[in-house]
Amino acid sequence: MPGTETNMSSKQYIRSLVFLMAFPIAFLASGQNLVRNCQFESMQSCPNASGQINKCRHWISPGEGTPDFVHSCNNGNVGVPNNIWGYQEARSGSAYVNIISYSILSANREYREYVCGILDCDMQAGMVYDVSFYLSCADGSHYAVDGIGAWFSAEIPVQGGSNSDEVIDIGGAPHISSPDGIANVNKEDWVKIEGSYTAQGGERFITIGNFKYNSNLTLHDFTSWSANIASYYIDDVSVVPREAVIDLGPDTTICPGSSITFDVENLCNNVELVWEDGSTELTRTITEPGTYGIGGFIGCSNFYEEVTISFPPEPGFFLPGDTVICPGRIIEIPSEGSYASYQWHDGSEDPDYIADTEGTYWLTVTDDYGCHYTDTLVIEGLSDPVFDLGPDTIFCLGQSIRLDPGIDSSFHSFLWNDNSRGIVRVISDSGVYWLRVSNPCGEMTDTIMIGTFNCDPAFEAPNAFTPNADGLNDVFKLKAENISNFSMFIFDRWGTMIFESNQIDDGWDGKFRGQVVASGTYVWMAVYNTSPADGQSQRVKTRGLVTVLR
């Protein structure tokens, strides 16, 4: 990769050229919904009663009206799909809002509910925006009305009336509206309300509701319903500019050593922009080739815009890759390509170099344009491999041994007697094992013999003996292998201990206090520690019967 140091690892480049380019980023781009929380999914907390629009993030009531936030997290009156206004699945996700767009409260009262949301980017003067939202008349509505629409403003609108919960007077029709004279009667499906809006500039709030006074409304009467309201669900609000949100321009080529600057100072005020490297600076200067991107969360979704910055094709010279040198040998380091001049680390100026020692070698070349490039080669000293697998050994069955030559180098290769190529091998069976290690300087083979034996404890006890001094079977002894810390006890039938020993080779001669005991059956007990192959010693107590015969 390009660099400025000449003593680093291989493939470092330097070019002498300085040039600066700077231009502003074009603002706004198609396809990005500017409405934050456009599906009403994000919430401060789960609603548990009507009138809690404040629990829906980024949406408010512009007055004293009490629009409702309904979410599937609630299993009661403000749930989805069941709630106090009826049954309706969310058009997308698991939430929506409910507003009352007409209500008979008194002869002089024109009650309205509105929801007001913020746009992440202020609207630009003369810019065209495609606007839409979805509407469904609630099951509990006695009435349906026309004229439900969306209105854009630079400030949060003021809801009028003596109680601040009546019609918002916008001085005319909303910017986007359902058709006049046709009441929105659909209680089964979601109906899309859509249109386009050419901004005046600076608008940053969208308000949705019924902006008509009662005298101008078209009413539809659902005679089977008793609630004297027109209630509507709203979901999926969208405000999409027809031009780009962020455009970094076309992919660009710059010379090594030059730069290009991107200025994002005049982007959306409500958005934190993040470059692909995590920086949030509004101005960024690029000096290296690569793909650079900027993104953030605008409105209802993430966006990301990127541009690729390239250098002209490299001139095509490289030194060979890092290598090793053996004692008493030399390495020829060729350079590729044709250049105006060459200079090695020691000042020599030939295209090629002969190395006879380990170290770091670098070459700087100058092309016909006066540009300088540097490449580095590291040569590591190496000798014949030397290792030892250890002495011949034995171990218990069930155990294993790790054979490790103690060599770990990318310049070595390993071959075991079973044709495996790993550095380390774990052995659990007896046999003859060998390892051959080779490198560019030579090779070595070492062999080890491994044996195994049974380390598990074994125990055997006779069931009778004849202490008659005839030299045959005169003593009662226990036979055991792979045990330790041994003790044996003999008891008569009344439980009296008549013999005790802690030596496995000591036996009972059938006497108690110097006198031969009577014929019959006696109880023996042995206590000892096991010495298994897994090394987990256990204290064992065992017992049995032995018969004294005459």
Side-chain angles (χ1 to χ4, degrees), residues 413-492:
S413 61
F414 303 83
L415 177 64
W416 293 87
N417 58 289
D418 65 349
N419 292 320
S420 61
R421 299 280 180 173
I423 299 177
V424 176
R425 189 172 176 192
V426 177
I427 304 300
S428 58
D429 295 320
S430 61
V432 178
Y433 299 87
W434 57 260
L435 169 65
R436 180 178 298 119
V437 179
S438 58
N439 65 27
C441 299
E443 68 177 31
M444 175 185 173
T445 300
D446 189 28
T447 301
I448 184 173
M449 296 183 64
I450 295 177
T452 59
F453 64 94
N454 190 350
C455 299
D456 291 337
F459 198 87
E460 182 180 347
N463 57 12
F465 74 109
T466 56
N468 52 13
D470 63 355
L472 299 173
N473 199 21
D474 289 330
V475 178
F476 172 71
K477 286 186 180 181
L478 300 178
K479 298 180 180 180
E481 295 180 353
N482 302 323
I483 66 172
S484 61
N485 198 16
F486 171 84
S487 295
M488 182 178 72
F489 309 91
I490 305 294
F491 302 90
D492 63 17

Side-chain angles (χ1 to χ4, degrees), residues 250-286:
D251 293 345
T252 303
T253 300
I254 62 174
C255 293
S258 67
S259 64
I260 184 171
T261 298
F262 296 105
D263 185 359
V264 298
E265 184 100 31
N266 297 318
L267 291 176
C268 306
N269 296 326
N270 299 324
V271 177
E272 181 178 349
L273 300 173
V274 181
W275 292 91
E276 89 292 334
D277 64 352
S279 64
T280 57
E281 297 295 328
L282 298 181
T283 301
R284 186 178 184 190
T285 299
I286 306 299

